[in-house]
Amino acid sequence: MNTTDQQEKHNVISDVSSDDDARELAKLGKKPVLRRNFSLVAILGLSCTLMVTWEGLFSVFVFGLQNGGPAGLIYGFLFVWIGYGCVVATMGELVSMWPTAGGQYHWVHMLAPDRWKCILSYITGWQSVIAWQAISASDGVLMATAIQGLVINSRSSYVSERWHGTLMAMAVVVICLIFNSFWSKGLPHVETATFLLHVLLFIIVLVIITVMSPEKSSNSEVWTLFLNDGGYESKGLSFFVGLITPVFAFTGVDGAVHMSEEVRNSSRVVPWAMLGSLLINGVTGFAMLVAILYCIGDIEAALSTPTGYPFIEIFTYATRSVTGGTAVSALIITMFGACAISTLASASRQLWAFSRDNAVPNARMMTYVHPKMKVPVVSIGVTCLVSALLSIINVGSTTVFNAVVSLTVSGFFGSYILPFSLLLYKRVKNPEHLPKAPYSLGKWGVLVNAWAIAWSVLVLFFSFWPQNIPVTPVNMNWSPLLWGAVNIFAFVFWVVHGRKVYKGPVVETYIERNGEGAVIVRGV
């Protein structure tokens, strides 16, 4: 091999070797293969529309009304917002230190004791991957069944069939696939546009519901009325069970983390984008929640609506028109679709990153990045296939499908607790071993990290509780069983397969300096 060939082989990113992002990624042993075309506004838009907090509240509104009631929803939202603030602040530190698409499992490997690095990282990675696959599947079914609710609201003669919803869910998956593959170069522009739509629709819906609602609830009915319709022995316990509503409305806060390798100046931009999205979604979510509770009308009618979605009944009541209620509800459902596009992007990057480190079967195939589109098309396709297959479950049993979806909250928080705990331990015992990063909590680090851990444990614990008692196979919360199964699967798969191939994040590049002191990035 001649000198020129050797140079082409080793200078794997020679065209971007002067780029700060490329050098930063090379320090972590990774070479840049994805297109970095997400600006601060674009990644802020992705993070906001992935959570769709004020819109998402409508989809899980019923749980908080049953357990907690109006007052429980309000104070629960504030409690959850503060808790997520500490989670995102802690996550911001970690992604600023190690800005890779792997996220949680990569952080665990960097922070854990040498003896436990690989197995803890492996189990954390599987929890995150499965949680993202589950929420990606749920987005399509959510949009599809909400559309069915619109049809029921407009035509009471329509007989809703589960297979109708499944076919529409598959159509949503195909649309998301197109946006994330063939139109991937323009995805940042799509995210920016949906961010603006997210804010604009908030204003429109807020004005409609507050101005047109024929009757307003009293202050006492909004701020002091606690309900316990789930059958629990105390309103206090019911309140904590009902936290699932605001918790789910913020689900996916780590979405921007898994897009890190496509964000310019990611170690600085991603932490602030996540905090910005939490602030925007928190303010809009709380304002919309208060407005809904003042304009809800008959709570029992909202809970028993044949559409399956109380927000459709609430909007129909507020506008005093089936047509108006359907039109406003359609705006919300449009944002569900935008959320599905963003979720597929993050879910596929998480799967791609885990595959890149040889943690899944057929890892080499899963890591394929299209040379022109610069996106992991195989991981995107596999995520779409998983979503389509899971949506088929809904035809046979909604209970089983909901059981799979229940993995989202437990899977996410299960993947947060370990890296947060290791960071807190390292910060207290060996702070000098933590790399300096552009974003840091400084003297507030111990307090914020500790609260993020405690709050995450609390959320994980109550995510296992059923919404109603007595418990039946239909209303049972299968999350603890499935979450335990995921961890058992990860451990068994580690013993059978993982320990042979997974040695932690694969080192693809390294940095050295030439005789003149210039930085050169070379392939391994």
Side-chain angles (χ1 to χ4, degrees):
M1 184 180 295
N2 60 39
T3 304
T4 302
D5 292 336
Q6 290 178 341
Q7 185 175 6
E8 289 178 353
K9 176 183 178 181
H10 292 296
N11 292 338
V12 292
I13 54 170
S14 58
D15 58 328
V16 291
S17 61
S18 62
D19 182 74
D20 290 338
D21 287 311
R23 287 198 296 268
E24 190 172 61
L25 196 59
K27 290 179 182 178
L28 304 177
K30 300 299 181 185
K31 61 181 180 180
V33 293
L34 305 180
R35 182 185 288 111
R36 283 191 186 266
N37 58 346
F38 275 82
S39 64
L40 172 60
V41 175
I43 196 63
L44 175 66
L46 180 140
S47 189
C48 280
T49 56
L50 195 154
M51 288 188 280
V52 285
T53 300
W54 72 263
E55 303 95 331
L57 277 171
F58 291 115
S59 67
V60 289
F61 197 64
V62 60
F63 303 127
L65 275 182
Q66 288 179 335
N67 290 292
L73 277 167
I74 285 179
Y75 303 119
F77 186 96
L78 294 174
F79 176 66
V80 166
W81 191 11
I82 293 171
Y84 264 117
C86 293
V87 166
V88 170
T90 299
M91 201 176 294
E93 270 198 319
L94 289 164
V95 73
S96 189
M97 294 176 192
W98 301 292
T100 75
Q104 296 92 301
Y105 82 86
H106 192 114
W107 303 337
V108 167
H109 193 273
M110 300 303 292
L111 292 166
D114 291 342
R115 182 181 178 185
W116 302 102
K117 280 181 181 293
C118 291
I119 185 171
L120 292 180
S121 172
Y122 191 77
I123 292 174
T124 300
W126 272 113
Q127 286 193 76
S128 184
V129 165
I130 291 176
W132 274 107
Q133 295 297 313
I135 197 171
S136 184
S138 71
D139 283 349
V141 173
L142 169 63
M143 185 175 183
T145 53
I147 292 174
Q148 286 182 290
L150 289 185
V151 179
I152 293 172
N153 196 51
S154 302
R155 283 193 172 188
S156 57
S157 60
Y158 168 66
V159 179
S160 176
E161 298 286 353
R162 287 197 292 265
W163 66 269
H164 296 172
T166 294
L167 287 179
M168 284 191 286
M170 290 184 176
V172 173
V173 169
V174 171
I175 293 171
C176 293
L177 174 63
I178 293 172
F179 272 98
N180 277 274
S181 54
F182 301 110
W183 294 347
S184 59
K185 191 174 183 179
L187 186 60
H189 302 299
V190 172
E191 298 298 346
T192 301
T194 53
F195 169 58
L196 297 176
L197 188 63
H198 174 64
V199 176
L200 179 62
L201 288 184
F202 162 74
I203 298 172
I204 294 173
V205 173
L206 187 67
V207 170
I208 290 175
I209 195 173
T210 53
V211 172
M212 298 188 66
S213 181
E215 186 179 348
K216 303 294 191 296
S217 302
S218 65
N219 289 333
S220 61
E221 288 175 324
V222 173
W223 298 93
T224 62
L225 178 60
F226 288 90
L227 298 177
N228 181 13
D229 292 342
Y232 285 96
E233 60 186 19
S234 71
K235 290 183 178 179
L237 180 57
S238 180
F239 167 81
F240 282 102
V241 173
L243 287 179
I244 193 65
T245 288
V247 166
F248 192 81
F250 284 104
T251 297
V253 291
D254 59 312
V257 169
H258 306 300
M259 302 296 292
S260 294
E261 295 179 38
E262 293 163 76
V263 179
R264 295 191 292 269
N265 202 14
S266 59
S267 62
R268 293 173 175 81
V269 167
V270 172
W272 291 111
M274 291 194 299
L275 287 169
S277 65
L278 188 71
L279 176 63
I280 294 169
N281 279 14
V283 170
T284 55
F286 185 71
M288 187 62 71
L289 176 61
V290 173
I292 296 168
L293 294 175
Y294 269 107
C295 305
I296 192 173
D298 187 346
I299 293 180
E300 292 302 322
L303 290 177
S304 60
T305 174
T307 66
Y309 289 92
F311 73 86
I312 298 177
E313 175 67 28
I314 293 169
F315 287 139
T316 300
Y317 168 79
T319 59
R320 287 167 283 185
S321 164
V322 170
T323 302
T326 301
V328 177
S329 299
L331 298 177
I332 306 296
I333 296 172
T334 299
M335 290 307 301
F336 290 167
C339 172
I341 293 171
S342 300
T343 300
L344 174 59
S346 294
S348 60
R349 275 29 168 219
Q350 168 70 95
L351 177 60
W352 169 75
F354 206 41
S355 303
R356 178 176 58 178
D357 292 323
N358 294 324
V360 302
N362 298 316
R364 185 167 184 175
M365 179 188 71
M366 299 285 284
T367 58
Y368 176 74
V369 174
H370 194 277
K372 290 186 178 180
M373 291 188 284
K374 298 290 184 183
V375 292
V377 290
V378 175
S379 292
I380 291 172
V382 168
T383 302
C384 289
L385 179 61
V386 170
S387 296
L389 293 176
L390 288 178
S391 69
I392 294 175
I393 296 175
N394 192 54
V395 176
S397 172
T398 301
T399 301
V400 175
F401 178 78
N402 290 337
V404 174
V405 173
S406 69
L407 274 172
T408 55
V409 172
S410 57
F412 281 129
F413 281 93
S415 72
Y416 298 162
I417 292 171
L418 189 54
F420 291 0
S421 301
L422 291 170
L423 174 63
L424 179 60
Y425 179 82
K426 186 79 75 172
R427 166 168 267 134
V428 172
K429 288 292 186 178
N430 306 107
E432 68 279 1
H433 292 169
L434 291 174
K436 292 183 178 180
Y439 169 87
S440 173
L441 293 172
K443 63 181 181 180
W444 296 99
V446 171
L447 179 62
V448 173
N449 296 163
W451 181 253
I453 296 165
W455 184 80
S456 296
V457 170
L458 179 71
V459 169
L460 180 63
F461 175 70
F462 279 105
S463 73
F464 294 150
W465 289 59
Q467 291 298 311
N468 299 280
I469 55 173
V471 177
T472 67
V474 175
N475 66 21
M476 173 66 183
N477 184 347
W478 297 96
S479 180
L481 177 63
L482 291 177
W483 184 70
V486 167
N487 283 279
I488 293 172
F489 159 78
F491 178 75
V492 172
F493 203 56
W494 164 260
V495 173
V496 175
H497 177 263
R499 63 188 177 88
K500 302 174 184 177
V501 296
Y502 181 71
K503 307 301 179 183
V506 174
V507 176
E508 301 171 331
T509 63
Y510 66 95
I511 288 180
E512 66 178 28
R513 292 184 180 273
N514 62 18
E516 300 175 355
V519 174
I520 299 177
V521 180
R522 298 193 183 279
V524 173

